[in-house]
Amino acid sequence: MQELERDRTIEEAKDILTVEDFDAVEFWVGNAYQSAYYYQHALGFRPVAWSSLKTGNRKFASYVMQQGNAKIILSSPYSGSSEMSAHQAMHGDGAKTIGLRVKDVEQAWNNALERGAKPVTPITELKDEYGTLRFAEIETYGDVTHKFIERDSYDGIYMPGYKPYKGVLDTPEKGVVRIDHIVGNVNWNQMDKTVQFYHEVFGFGKFIEFSEDDIATQYSALKSKVVRSYNNRVKMPINEPAAGLRMSQIEEYINYYHGAGVQHVALSTNDIVKTVTEMRDRGVEFIGVPKTYYDNIKERVGEIKEDIDILAELGILIDRDEKGYLLQLFTKPIQDRPTFFFEVIQRRGSNGFGKGNFQALFESIEREQAERGNL
Ligand code: FE2
């Protein structure tokens, strides 16, 4: 199996942009106030800071939601003639900016531009009573951007311009500790180009997750390659549609998002049974898993620490590779458009993304897609 991993690694990573980890992911949504309620009471994120008319922001309202080290920003515009409102009109709710914490924003910015990245916001220094924060922003796939954030000299919750904020009700967290990986969906024949961008501009390592030979159900298919930072903290699979008898789930996403975008953010937990149980209790809908999935699970994944009956009851998926196993489950899309969803993941040694679960996942997603009349 070690052999297999080596075969699938196309290029090792180099540390060119000093990327250390994910920072906050910013979503542009139609009604940030109400989204914040869902993120808090259903998913377990706490509102910790905001920027709004009441803090002097006359352009948009923005809430910083935090759970463990995972940070999500939810923002909505006050005006109908802003970039944010145009984005909302075209894409609906979606992830706009994937924050990347860097050691040195100058190095990140200069190297990225030199290597062909398209600029959005040049290096900007912001100060408040908590210190100094520097960031810069570049384009990536679709309308998505990356914000390089250097926050070593900053102690505030997110960045200057945001003030501490607390919701009216306290809700316990659901066990999420950090963002594990973020997956992008790109259009036909754009996967290799996108992966090459991360390799050339970021120095990220790249490897094949699966080709159409690995997973192809009767009706739909995808291809996927993964890019990752030198320290393995930032992992970003990139999917593109592949030919099938009917519409690929990636194509459905692109048709409804009107372009490439973030398909899912995986939230890691140290206790997936607790996390999924509590999210379900709060009304989070997860994809259905075929009952037959658990029939021969012991032969497929071997010994695991968790009680399989409990996993089956919650519909949690299990996959094993040469380094260990992982437990994961995917929510249904969390807005009306069949676009963005979350994954909950617990790693027990495995560094993979649940390749072995894709057959089961596919069959399940396709049942939903068929119900929407889009298969
Ligand atoms: Fe994932």
Side-chain angles (χ1 to χ4, degrees), residues 62-78:
S62 186
Y63 299 81
V64 181
M65 311 298 295
Q66 181 165 8
Q67 185 168 188
N69 288 318
K71 277 198 188 112
I72 303 275
I73 317 294
L74 301 167
S75 303
S76 290
Y78 290 128

Side-chain angles (χ1 to χ4, degrees), residues 36-48:
Y37 184 91
Y38 180 86
Y39 273 75
Q40 180 180 0
H41 295 289
L43 297 171
F45 286 83
R46 282 176 299 112
V48 289

Side-chain angles (χ1 to χ4, degrees), residues 181 183 237 264 266 328 330 343 353:
H181 61 274
V183 179
H264 72 267
Q328 66 185 165
F330 303 87
E343 172 183 348
F353 300 90

